[in-house]
């Protein structure tokens, strides 16, 4: 089945969250959906806490940075 020929019912079935039948759609899509639905292996989760901490700190403006930006804009 070509991605251009996929009907809405097939797309909904593939995205529905259940097991993916290898013949249900285009091979690259079936492989991708199977991979993202698989449980993470312990090695894949190593460093998760540090990664989350890094994302959180990157989103936080440096201390006092927001105050100075406001004063410059006034």
């Amino acid at each position: 089945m070509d991605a251009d020929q996929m009907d809405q019912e097939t797309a909904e079935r593939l995205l529905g969250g259940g097991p993916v039948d290898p013949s249900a759609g285009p091979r690259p899509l079936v492989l991708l959906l199977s991979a993202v639905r698989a449980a993470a292996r312990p090695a894949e989760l190593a460093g998760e806490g540090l990664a989350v901490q890094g994302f959180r700190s990157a989103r936080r403006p440096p201390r006092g940075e927001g105050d100075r930006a406001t004063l410059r804009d006034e």
Side-chain angles (χ1 to χ4, degrees), residues 11-57:
E12 293 293 331
R13 190 173 62 253
L14 286 169
L15 297 174
V20 180
D21 176 9
S23 64
R27 181 169 169 71
L29 178 60
V30 169
L31 292 174
L32 173 69
L33 292 174
S34 296
V36 299
R37 289 180 181 153
R41 290 174 280 189
E44 294 173 321
L45 298 176
E48 179 185 21
L50 287 174
V52 170
Q53 183 180 9
F55 281 114
R56 287 182 179 157
S57 65

Side-chain angles (χ1 to χ4, degrees), residues 5-14:
Q5 299 171 346
M6 188 181 308
D7 59 21
Q8 184 167 348
E9 181 182 337
T10 302
E12 293 293 331
R13 190 173 62 253
L14 286 169

